[in-house]
Amino acid sequence: MEQKTIPHITIEAVGSFVPPRRVTNDELAQTVDTSDEWIRSHTGIGARHLAADGQATSDLAVKAALDAIDRSDLTLDDIDGIIIATATPDHVGFPSTACIVQEKLGLKNIPAMDVVAGCTGFIYGIEVARGMILSGAMTNVLMIGAEKLSSIVDWNDRNTCVLFGDGAGCAIVSRKDEPTERGVQDTILQADGSGYEYLMVNRGGSRSPIREDGVDIKDVTITMDGRKVYNFAVKQLGAMTKDLMERNGLTIDDIDMIIPHQANDRIIQAAAKRLKIPKEKVFVNIEDFANTSAASIPIALRNLEESGGLKKGDRIIIVGFGAGLTSGGSMIVW
Ligand code: UT7
């Protein structure tokens, strides 16, 4: 019988965009009861970038996609699928932000859809792209994580507003039929819905539609049980990374870099400490961007590559957690 080889699913390029408006902790402390010292010591965040008023998630996504195309050997004509992971779509319900991005990029008659998995959305999306490529539905996919979290933050709530930022990152996920070591090698995805209330936006969905009744800003912005999410995050970042290495017969010596979701430097360092992973093998850029949810990992990948810390052939782990509560990790040879 003829042996069929499974094609490799590679990341051909990664691009990103963060809006130019940079808001430092000190600037935020002028309007909210907080301080640079508190934010830095509890999260590692120094600043966040915020989109302009008229700028929507799709606008950030398009810029990240074009950056990724620029950095690849492909053109827009090669793209035959768009997936966007976002918690802040341009419109609630429909249309998907991916369809708006498709229109803005001038791409016709290709599938486009959104994935909702909180801050783990980029990792879920890579796996959705991989599955769709293997099914034959797509060949070169724009897998975009994009967020305008400033649109769902209560700027008077110091428990949440200091944590988040806006931005977008895009990976071009491609099918390679020729032999290569590169590609997505293994992925773990999980969800624990028992924690769905720990990180949510209360109203505006079918559970509690917004009609003529008065809307309290707290009902349409992020509410969070920070401690519960913190504990889940430390546990899952560690567990996912460990499982990915163990089930592939690898140790940290075989991994060039771990790129975790950038939510809180304390979470990242606590998880790394538990696994005895050296600091220099964990990429952190939260100081400049804060938590950009589904965009944080592709923005980090782009930063790391630009700084020379990520080269073709490197074996990396991307790992994250988020609302749902979801978590996931992927081992990739870049
Ligand atoms: O992508 C997933 C998104 N979410 C997360 O990753 C969140 C995970 N959780 C966390 O990162 C941490 O739990 C936080 C950074 C949110 C909070 O840190 P914490 O060490 O767990 O602080 P806490 O919630 O226990 O609050 C300690 C104190 C409280 O004051 P009292 O009650 O002790 O007087 C808060 O009111 O810190 C106060 N506080 C602040 N003070 C100044 C909370 N936020 C602020 C603030 N500035 N921005």
mmCIF file of all heavy atoms in Angstrom, residues 83 85 115-117 120-130 143 187-192 325-328:
data_model
loop_
_atom_site.group_PDB
_atom_site.id
_atom_site.type_symbol
_atom_site.label_atom_id
_atom_site.label_comp_id
_atom_site.label_asym_id
_atom_site.label_seq_id
_atom_site.Cartn_x
_atom_site.Cartn_y
_atom_site.Cartn_z
ATOM 1 N N ILE A 83 -8.228 33.322 9.940
ATOM 2 C CA ILE A 83 -8.801 32.993 11.252
ATOM 3 C C ILE A 83 -8.368 34.097 12.217
ATOM 4 O O ILE A 83 -7.192 34.466 12.249
ATOM 5 C CB ILE A 83 -8.303 31.623 11.755
ATOM 6 C CG1 ILE A 83 -8.693 30.526 10.751
ATOM 7 C CG2 ILE A 83 -8.883 31.314 13.137
ATOM 8 C CD1 ILE A 83 -8.106 29.156 11.067
ATOM 9 N N ALA A 85 -8.470 35.188 16.253
ATOM 10 C CA ALA A 85 -8.792 34.961 17.657
ATOM 11 C C ALA A 85 -8.955 36.333 18.295
ATOM 12 O O ALA A 85 -8.027 37.143 18.261
ATOM 13 C CB ALA A 85 -7.667 34.194 18.335
ATOM 14 N N VAL A 115 -12.330 32.819 16.188
ATOM 15 C CA VAL A 115 -12.208 31.809 17.233
ATOM 16 C C VAL A 115 -12.268 32.537 18.571
ATOM 17 O O VAL A 115 -11.622 33.572 18.735
ATOM 18 C CB VAL A 115 -10.848 31.072 17.110
ATOM 19 C CG1 VAL A 115 -10.540 30.249 18.342
ATOM 20 C CG2 VAL A 115 -10.815 30.205 15.867
ATOM 21 N N VAL A 116 -13.048 32.019 19.509
ATOM 22 C CA VAL A 116 -13.146 32.655 20.830
ATOM 23 C C VAL A 116 -12.599 31.693 21.877
ATOM 24 O O VAL A 116 -13.210 30.649 22.141
ATOM 25 C CB VAL A 116 -14.601 33.025 21.174
ATOM 26 C CG1 VAL A 116 -14.663 33.705 22.541
ATOM 27 C CG2 VAL A 116 -15.188 33.936 20.103
ATOM 28 N N ALA A 117 -11.458 32.004 22.431
ATOM 29 C CA ALA A 117 -10.879 31.170 23.490
ATOM 30 C C ALA A 117 -10.089 32.044 24.452
ATOM 31 O O ALA A 117 -9.067 31.626 25.003
ATOM 32 C CB ALA A 117 -10.001 30.079 22.884
ATOM 33 N N THR A 120 -6.075 32.412 25.294
ATOM 34 C CA THR A 120 -5.479 31.224 24.663
ATOM 35 C C THR A 120 -5.851 31.168 23.179
ATOM 36 O O THR A 120 -5.507 30.213 22.474
ATOM 37 C CB THR A 120 -5.946 29.934 25.372
ATOM 38 O OG1 THR A 120 -6.073 30.174 26.776
ATOM 39 C CG2 THR A 120 -4.951 28.794 25.184
ATOM 40 N N GLY A 121 -6.563 32.174 22.706
ATOM 41 C CA GLY A 121 -7.127 32.145 21.355
ATOM 42 C C GLY A 121 -6.113 31.922 20.254
ATOM 43 O O GLY A 121 -6.402 31.236 19.271
ATOM 44 N N PHE A 122 -4.912 32.472 20.400
ATOM 45 C CA PHE A 122 -3.919 32.305 19.336
ATOM 46 C C PHE A 122 -3.503 30.834 19.223
ATOM 47 O O PHE A 122 -3.369 30.299 18.119
ATOM 48 C CB PHE A 122 -2.695 33.193 19.594
ATOM 49 C CG PHE A 122 -1.648 33.084 18.530
ATOM 50 C CD1 PHE A 122 -1.827 33.669 17.289
ATOM 51 C CD2 PHE A 122 -0.463 32.380 18.767
ATOM 52 C CE1 PHE A 122 -0.861 33.558 16.289
ATOM 53 C CE2 PHE A 122 0.508 32.272 17.775
ATOM 54 C CZ PHE A 122 0.308 32.861 16.538
ATOM 55 N N ILE A 123 -3.344 30.178 20.371
ATOM 56 C CA ILE A 123 -2.921 28.768 20.343
ATOM 57 C C ILE A 123 -4.066 27.892 19.815
ATOM 58 O O ILE A 123 -3.854 27.014 18.972
ATOM 59 C CB ILE A 123 -2.456 28.317 21.734
ATOM 60 C CG1 ILE A 123 -1.261 29.180 22.177
ATOM 61 C CG2 ILE A 123 -2.074 26.836 21.732
ATOM 62 C CD1 ILE A 123 -0.851 28.994 23.618
ATOM 63 N N TYR A 124 -5.280 28.155 20.263
ATOM 64 C CA TYR A 124 -6.435 27.444 19.692
ATOM 65 C C TYR A 124 -6.495 27.683 18.179
ATOM 66 O O TYR A 124 -6.744 26.769 17.405
ATOM 67 C CB TYR A 124 -7.736 27.947 20.335
ATOM 68 C CG TYR A 124 -8.199 27.173 21.559
ATOM 69 C CD1 TYR A 124 -7.491 27.217 22.759
ATOM 70 C CD2 TYR A 124 -9.352 26.404 21.534
ATOM 71 C CE1 TYR A 124 -7.921 26.520 23.882
ATOM 72 C CE2 TYR A 124 -9.796 25.694 22.655
ATOM 73 C CZ TYR A 124 -9.078 25.775 23.816
ATOM 74 O OH TYR A 124 -9.515 25.079 24.923
ATOM 75 N N GLY A 125 -6.269 28.918 17.784
ATOM 76 C CA GLY A 125 -6.377 29.274 16.371
ATOM 77 C C GLY A 125 -5.338 28.583 15.507
ATOM 78 O O GLY A 125 -5.632 28.144 14.384
ATOM 79 N N ILE A 126 -4.137 28.458 16.024
ATOM 80 C CA ILE A 126 -3.080 27.753 15.276
ATOM 81 C C ILE A 126 -3.523 26.301 15.042
ATOM 82 O O ILE A 126 -3.336 25.739 13.954
ATOM 83 C CB ILE A 126 -1.743 27.775 16.061
ATOM 84 C CG1 ILE A 126 -1.162 29.195 16.104
ATOM 85 C CG2 ILE A 126 -0.729 26.784 15.491
ATOM 86 C CD1 ILE A 126 -0.462 29.646 14.857
ATOM 87 N N GLU A 127 -4.145 25.717 16.052
ATOM 88 C CA GLU A 127 -4.573 24.328 15.924
ATOM 89 C C GLU A 127 -5.769 24.199 14.959
ATOM 90 O O GLU A 127 -5.868 23.236 14.203
ATOM 91 C CB GLU A 127 -4.906 23.763 17.314
ATOM 92 C CG GLU A 127 -5.049 22.266 17.385
ATOM 93 C CD GLU A 127 -3.820 21.467 16.950
ATOM 94 O OE1 GLU A 127 -2.757 22.049 16.660
ATOM 95 O OE2 GLU A 127 -3.949 20.229 16.856
ATOM 96 N N VAL A 128 -6.662 25.187 15.006
ATOM 97 C CA VAL A 128 -7.774 25.197 14.036
ATOM 98 C C VAL A 128 -7.206 25.327 12.618
ATOM 99 O O VAL A 128 -7.616 24.607 11.696
ATOM 100 C CB VAL A 128 -8.766 26.349 14.334
ATOM 101 C CG1 VAL A 128 -9.795 26.487 13.215
ATOM 102 C CG2 VAL A 128 -9.466 26.137 15.675
ATOM 103 N N ALA A 129 -6.241 26.211 12.450
ATOM 104 C CA ALA A 129 -5.614 26.397 11.129
ATOM 105 C C ALA A 129 -4.952 25.098 10.675
ATOM 106 O O ALA A 129 -5.107 24.672 9.527
ATOM 107 C CB ALA A 129 -4.587 27.528 11.187
ATOM 108 N N ARG A 130 -4.227 24.471 11.604
ATOM 109 C CA ARG A 130 -3.546 23.214 11.275
ATOM 110 C C ARG A 130 -4.556 22.158 10.802
ATOM 111 O O ARG A 130 -4.358 21.485 9.791
ATOM 112 C CB ARG A 130 -2.775 22.710 12.500
ATOM 113 C CG ARG A 130 -1.705 21.685 12.175
ATOM 114 C CD ARG A 130 -0.920 21.313 13.423
ATOM 115 N NE ARG A 130 -1.695 20.435 14.283
ATOM 116 C CZ ARG A 130 -1.701 19.110 14.184
ATOM 117 N NH1 ARG A 130 -0.944 18.509 13.292
ATOM 118 N NH2 ARG A 130 -2.448 18.389 14.981
ATOM 119 N N MET A 143 -3.362 33.599 10.516
ATOM 120 C CA MET A 143 -3.881 33.311 11.866
ATOM 121 C C MET A 143 -3.550 34.521 12.730
ATOM 122 O O MET A 143 -2.400 34.745 13.101
ATOM 123 C CB MET A 143 -3.229 32.025 12.406
ATOM 124 C CG MET A 143 -3.611 31.701 13.838
ATOM 125 S SD MET A 143 -5.366 31.752 14.105
ATOM 126 C CE MET A 143 -5.479 32.835 15.513
ATOM 127 N N THR A 187 0.500 19.788 20.130
ATOM 128 C CA THR A 187 -0.326 20.821 20.772
ATOM 129 C C THR A 187 -1.206 20.194 21.841
ATOM 130 O O THR A 187 -1.715 19.088 21.657
ATOM 131 C CB THR A 187 -1.229 21.518 19.715
ATOM 132 O OG1 THR A 187 -0.396 22.174 18.765
ATOM 133 C CG2 THR A 187 -2.149 22.558 20.351
ATOM 134 N N ILE A 188 -1.369 20.909 22.943
ATOM 135 C CA ILE A 188 -2.327 20.509 23.983
ATOM 136 C C ILE A 188 -3.322 21.657 24.149
ATOM 137 O O ILE A 188 -2.907 22.815 24.304
ATOM 138 C CB ILE A 188 -1.640 20.281 25.352
ATOM 139 C CG1 ILE A 188 -0.520 19.247 25.240
ATOM 140 C CG2 ILE A 188 -2.665 19.849 26.396
ATOM 141 C CD1 ILE A 188 0.282 19.092 26.537
ATOM 142 N N LEU A 189 -4.606 21.342 24.088
ATOM 143 C CA LEU A 189 -5.634 22.356 24.359
ATOM 144 C C LEU A 189 -6.531 21.854 25.473
ATOM 145 O O LEU A 189 -6.897 20.673 25.487
ATOM 146 C CB LEU A 189 -6.490 22.610 23.106
ATOM 147 C CG LEU A 189 -5.785 23.142 21.868
ATOM 148 C CD1 LEU A 189 -6.768 23.248 20.711
ATOM 149 C CD2 LEU A 189 -5.147 24.499 22.142
ATOM 150 N N GLN A 190 -6.890 22.738 26.390
ATOM 151 C CA GLN A 190 -7.814 22.353 27.463
ATOM 152 C C GLN A 190 -8.759 23.510 27.776
ATOM 153 O O GLN A 190 -8.484 24.660 27.445
ATOM 154 C CB GLN A 190 -7.040 21.998 28.741
ATOM 155 C CG GLN A 190 -6.343 20.655 28.670
ATOM 156 C CD GLN A 190 -5.622 20.299 29.961
ATOM 157 O OE1 GLN A 190 -5.791 20.931 30.992
ATOM 158 N NE2 GLN A 190 -4.804 19.262 29.887
ATOM 159 N N ALA A 191 -9.858 23.166 28.444
ATOM 160 C CA ALA A 191 -10.736 24.202 28.999
ATOM 161 C C ALA A 191 -11.320 23.678 30.301
ATOM 162 O O ALA A 191 -11.553 22.473 30.444
ATOM 163 C CB ALA A 191 -11.850 24.543 28.025
ATOM 164 N N ASP A 192 -11.520 24.579 31.242
ATOM 165 C CA ASP A 192 -12.170 24.235 32.502
ATOM 166 C C ASP A 192 -13.300 25.249 32.718
ATOM 167 O O ASP A 192 -13.115 26.298 33.318
ATOM 168 C CB ASP A 192 -11.160 24.300 33.660
ATOM 169 C CG ASP A 192 -11.825 24.009 35.003
ATOM 170 O OD1 ASP A 192 -13.044 23.702 35.014
ATOM 171 O OD2 ASP A 192 -11.135 24.096 36.027
ATOM 172 N N LEU A 325 -12.351 28.840 31.806
ATOM 173 C CA LEU A 325 -10.939 29.180 31.633
ATOM 174 C C LEU A 325 -10.285 28.209 30.650
ATOM 175 O O LEU A 325 -10.463 26.990 30.785
ATOM 176 C CB LEU A 325 -10.202 29.087 32.983
ATOM 177 C CG LEU A 325 -10.682 30.062 34.063
ATOM 178 C CD1 LEU A 325 -10.055 29.750 35.400
ATOM 179 C CD2 LEU A 325 -10.427 31.508 33.682
ATOM 180 N N THR A 326 -9.566 28.741 29.697
ATOM 181 C CA THR A 326 -8.901 27.918 28.696
ATOM 182 C C THR A 326 -7.397 27.886 28.959
ATOM 183 O O THR A 326 -6.856 28.767 29.627
ATOM 184 C CB THR A 326 -9.108 28.503 27.291
ATOM 185 O OG1 THR A 326 -8.635 29.853 27.301
ATOM 186 C CG2 THR A 326 -10.555 28.452 26.872
ATOM 187 N N SER A 327 -6.757 26.887 28.399
ATOM 188 C CA SER A 327 -5.295 26.874 28.419
ATOM 189 C C SER A 327 -4.810 26.021 27.251
ATOM 190 O O SER A 327 -5.564 25.212 26.703
ATOM 191 C CB SER A 327 -4.757 26.327 29.748
ATOM 192 O OG SER A 327 -5.323 25.072 30.037
ATOM 193 N N GLY A 328 -3.554 26.235 26.872
ATOM 194 C CA GLY A 328 -3.037 25.475 25.743
ATOM 195 C C GLY A 328 -1.559 25.738 25.536
ATOM 196 O O GLY A 328 -1.011 26.721 26.038
#
